[in-house]
Coordinates of all heavy atoms in Angstrom, one line a residue:
D1 N 51.6 23.2 -3.9 CA 52.6 24.3 -3.8 C 53.1 24.7 -5.3 O 53.2 25.8 -5.6 CB 53.7 24.0 -2.9 CG 53.3 23.9 -1.4 OD1 52.2 24.4 -1.2 OD2 54.0 23.4 -0.7
N2 N 53.4 23.6 -6.0 CA 53.9 23.9 -7.4 C 52.8 24.6 -8.3 O 53.0 25.5 -9.1 CB 54.4 22.6 -8.0 CG 55.7 22.1 -7.4 OD1 56.4 22.9 -6.9 ND2 55.9 20.9 -7.5
D3 N 51.6 24.0 -8.1 CA 50.5 24.7 -8.9 C 50.3 26.1 -8.5 O 50.1 27.0 -9.4 CB 49.2 23.9 -8.5 CG 49.1 22.5 -9.0 OD1 49.9 22.2 -10.0 OD2 48.4 21.7 -8.4
I4 N 50.3 26.4 -7.2 CA 50.2 27.8 -6.7 C 51.3 28.7 -7.2 O 51.0 29.9 -7.6 CB 50.1 27.8 -5.2 CG1 48.8 27.1 -4.7 CG2 50.1 29.2 -4.6 CD1 48.7 26.8 -3.2
A5 N 52.5 28.1 -7.2 CA 53.6 28.9 -7.7 C 53.4 29.3 -9.1 O 53.7 30.4 -9.6 CB 54.9 28.1 -7.6
W6 N 52.8 28.4 -10.0 CA 52.6 28.7 -11.4 C 51.5 29.8 -11.4 O 51.7 30.7 -12.3 CB 52.1 27.5 -12.1 CG 51.7 27.7 -13.6 CD1 52.6 27.7 -14.6 CD2 50.4 27.9 -14.1 NE1 51.9 28.0 -15.8 CE2 50.6 28.1 -15.5 CE3 49.1 28.0 -13.6 CZ2 49.6 28.4 -16.3 CZ3 48.0 28.3 -14.4 CH2 48.3 28.4 -15.8
V7 N 50.5 29.8 -10.7 CA 49.4 30.8 -10.7 C 50.0 32.1 -10.4 O 49.8 33.1 -11.1 CB 48.3 30.4 -9.7 CG1 47.3 31.6 -9.6 CG2 47.6 29.1 -10.2
T8 N 50.7 32.2 -9.2 CA 51.2 33.5 -8.8 C 52.3 34.0 -9.7 O 52.4 35.2 -9.9 CB 51.8 33.3 -7.3 OG1 52.8 32.3 -7.4 CG2 50.7 33.0 -6.4
D9 N 53.1 33.2 -10.3 CA 54.1 33.6 -11.3 C 53.5 34.2 -12.5 O 53.9 35.3 -13.0 CB 55.1 32.5 -11.6 CG 56.0 32.1 -10.5 OD1 56.2 32.9 -9.5 OD2 56.6 31.0 -10.5
K10 N 52.5 33.6 -13.0 CA 51.9 34.0 -14.2 C 51.1 35.4 -14.0 O 51.3 36.3 -14.8 CB 50.8 32.9 -14.7 CG 51.4 31.8 -15.4 CD 52.1 32.1 -16.6 CE 52.8 30.9 -17.3 NZ 53.6 31.2 -18.5
L11 N 50.6 35.5 -12.8 CA 49.9 36.7 -12.5 C 50.9 37.9 -12.4 O 50.7 39.0 -12.9 CB 49.1 36.6 -11.2 CG 48.3 37.8 -10.7 CD1 47.2 38.3 -11.7 CD2 47.6 37.6 -9.4
A12 N 52.0 37.6 -11.8 CA 53.0 38.7 -11.5 C 53.6 39.1 -12.8 O 54.1 40.3 -12.9 CB 54.1 38.1 -10.5
C13 N 53.6 38.3 -13.8 CA 54.3 38.7 -15.1 C 53.4 39.4 -16.0 O 53.9 39.9 -17.1 CB 54.9 37.4 -15.7 SG 56.2 36.6 -14.9
M14 N 52.2 39.5 -15.7 CA 51.2 40.1 -16.7 C 51.2 41.7 -16.6 O 51.3 42.3 -15.5 CB 49.8 39.7 -16.3 CG 49.5 38.2 -16.7 SD 47.8 37.8 -16.3 CE 47.8 36.1 -16.5
S15 N 51.2 42.2 -17.8 CA 51.0 43.7 -17.9 C 49.5 44.0 -17.6 O 48.7 43.2 -17.5 CB 51.3 44.2 -19.3 OG 50.4 43.6 -20.3
L16 N 49.1 45.3 -17.6 CA 47.7 45.7 -17.4 C 46.9 45.2 -18.5 O 45.8 44.6 -18.2 CB 47.6 47.2 -17.3 CG 46.2 47.7 -17.2 CD1 45.5 47.2 -15.9 CD2 46.2 49.3 -17.2
D17 N 47.3 45.4 -19.7 CA 46.5 44.9 -20.8 C 46.3 43.4 -20.8 O 45.3 42.9 -21.2 CB 47.1 45.4 -22.1 CG 46.8 46.8 -22.5 OD1 46.2 47.5 -21.7 OD2 47.3 47.3 -23.6
E18 N 47.3 42.6 -20.5 CA 47.3 41.2 -20.4 C 46.3 40.8 -19.3 O 45.5 39.8 -19.5 CB 48.6 40.6 -20.1 CG 49.6 40.7 -21.4 CD 50.9 40.3 -21.0 OE1 51.5 40.4 -19.9 OE2 51.6 39.7 -22.0
K19 N 46.3 41.5 -18.2 CA 45.3 41.2 -17.1 C 43.9 41.4 -17.6 O 43.0 40.7 -17.3 CB 45.6 42.0 -15.9 CG 46.9 41.6 -15.2 CD 47.1 42.5 -13.9 CE 48.3 41.9 -13.0 NZ 48.5 42.6 -11.8
I20 N 43.7 42.6 -18.3 CA 42.3 42.8 -18.8 C 41.9 41.8 -19.7 O 40.8 41.3 -19.6 CB 42.4 44.2 -19.5 CG1 42.6 45.3 -18.4 CG2 41.0 44.5 -20.1 CD1 42.7 46.7 -19.0
G21 N 42.8 41.3 -20.6 CA 42.4 40.3 -21.6 C 41.9 39.0 -20.9 O 41.1 38.3 -21.3
Q22 N 42.6 38.7 -19.7 CA 42.3 37.5 -18.9 C 40.9 37.5 -18.3 O 40.4 36.5 -17.8 CB 43.3 37.2 -17.9 CG 44.7 36.8 -18.4 CD 44.5 35.3 -19.0 OE1 44.1 34.4 -18.3 NE2 44.9 35.2 -20.2
L23 N 40.2 38.7 -18.4 CA 38.9 38.8 -17.8 C 37.9 38.4 -18.9 O 36.6 38.2 -18.5 CB 38.6 40.2 -17.3 CG 39.5 40.8 -16.3 CD1 39.2 42.2 -16.1 CD2 39.4 39.9 -15.0
F24 N 38.3 38.1 -20.1 CA 37.3 37.9 -21.2 C 37.3 36.5 -21.8 O 38.3 35.8 -21.7 CB 37.6 38.9 -22.3 CG 37.2 40.3 -22.1 CD1 38.2 41.3 -21.8 CD2 35.9 40.8 -22.1 CE1 37.9 42.6 -21.4 CE2 35.6 42.1 -21.8 CZ 36.5 43.0 -21.5
M25 N 36.1 36.0 -22.1 CA 36.0 34.8 -22.8 C 35.1 35.0 -24.0 O 33.9 34.9 -24.0 CB 35.3 33.8 -21.8 CG 35.1 32.4 -22.3 SD 36.5 31.4 -21.9 CE 36.0 29.8 -22.6
P26 N 35.7 35.3 -25.1 CA 34.9 35.6 -26.3 C 34.3 34.3 -27.0 O 34.8 33.2 -26.7 CB 35.9 36.3 -27.3 CG 37.2 35.9 -26.8 CD 37.1 35.6 -25.3
V27 N 33.4 34.5 -27.9 CA 32.9 33.4 -28.7 C 33.5 33.5 -30.1 O 33.6 34.6 -30.7 CB 31.3 33.5 -28.8 CG1 30.8 34.7 -29.5 CG2 30.8 32.2 -29.4
G28 N 33.8 32.3 -30.7 CA 34.3 32.2 -32.0 C 33.2 31.8 -33.0 O 32.7 30.7 -32.8
L29 N 33.0 32.5 -34.0 CA 31.9 32.1 -34.9 C 32.5 31.8 -36.4 O 31.8 31.6 -37.3 CB 30.9 33.2 -35.1 CG 30.1 33.6 -33.8 CD1 29.2 34.8 -34.1 CD2 29.2 32.4 -33.5
S30 N 33.9 31.9 -36.4 CA 34.5 31.6 -37.7 C 35.8 30.8 -37.4 O 36.4 30.9 -36.3 CB 34.9 32.9 -38.4 OG 35.8 32.7 -39.4
S31 N 36.1 29.9 -38.4 CA 37.4 29.1 -38.2 C 38.5 29.8 -39.0 O 39.6 29.2 -39.1 CB 37.1 27.7 -38.7 OG 36.6 27.8 -40.1
D32 N 38.3 31.0 -39.4 CA 39.4 31.7 -40.2 C 40.6 31.9 -39.2 O 40.4 32.6 -38.2 CB 38.8 33.1 -40.7 CG 39.9 33.8 -41.4 OD1 40.0 33.5 -42.6 OD2 40.5 34.7 -40.9
E33 N 41.7 31.4 -39.6 CA 42.9 31.4 -38.7 C 43.4 32.8 -38.5 O 43.9 33.1 -37.4 CB 43.9 30.5 -39.3 CG 43.6 29.0 -39.2 CD 44.7 28.1 -39.5 OE1 45.8 28.5 -39.9 OE2 44.6 26.8 -39.3
D34 N 43.3 33.7 -39.6 CA 43.8 35.0 -39.3 C 43.0 35.8 -38.3 O 43.5 36.5 -37.4 CB 43.8 35.8 -40.6 CG 44.9 35.3 -41.6 OD1 45.9 34.7 -41.2 OD2 44.7 35.5 -42.9
E35 N 41.6 35.5 -38.3 CA 40.8 36.2 -37.4 C 41.0 35.7 -36.0 O 41.0 36.4 -35.0 CB 39.3 35.9 -37.8 CG 38.4 36.5 -36.9 CD 36.8 36.3 -37.4 OE1 36.7 36.2 -38.7 OE2 36.0 36.2 -36.6
L36 N 41.2 34.3 -35.9 CA 41.3 33.7 -34.6 C 42.7 34.1 -34.0 O 42.8 34.4 -32.8 CB 41.2 32.3 -34.7 CG 39.9 31.6 -35.0 CD1 40.0 30.2 -35.3 CD2 38.8 32.0 -34.0
R37 N 43.7 34.2 -34.8 CA 45.0 34.5 -34.3 C 45.1 36.0 -33.8 O 45.6 36.3 -32.8 CB 46.2 34.4 -35.4 CG 47.6 34.8 -35.0 CD 48.5 34.8 -36.1 NE 48.8 33.4 -36.6 CZ 48.3 33.0 -37.8 NH1 47.6 33.9 -38.5 NH2 48.6 31.8 -38.2
N38 N 44.4 36.9 -34.6 CA 44.3 38.3 -34.1 C 43.6 38.4 -32.8 O 44.0 39.2 -32.0 CB 43.6 39.0 -35.3 CG 43.4 40.5 -34.9 OD1 44.4 41.3 -34.8 ND2 42.3 41.0 -34.6
T39 N 42.5 37.6 -32.6 CA 41.8 37.7 -31.4 C 42.7 37.3 -30.2 O 42.7 38.0 -29.1 CB 40.5 36.8 -31.4 OG1 39.7 37.3 -32.4 CG2 39.8 36.8 -30.0

């Protein structure tokens, strides 16, 4: 029940853009921290 509450709470707090972002799994080809932070 606690796990499910975390899932539902996180989903409920997301904006449209945040939800869209959660659909993606990009690949990282660089260890540059500025680039990774921006992504």
Side-chain angles (χ1 to χ4, degrees):
D1 288 344
N2 288 337
D3 297 330
I4 294 172
W6 179 82
V7 170
T8 55
D9 288 347
K10 286 296 180 184
L11 179 62
C13 292
M14 289 182 189
S15 66
L16 174 60
D17 280 3
E18 287 172 331
K19 287 183 176 182
I20 293 172
Q22 285 293 304
L23 300 174
F24 289 102
M25 184 88 176
V27 63
L29 298 175
S30 168
S31 57
D32 181 80
E33 291 190 353
D34 289 338
E35 181 179 329
L36 294 172
R37 181 188 293 106
N38 181 65
T39 298

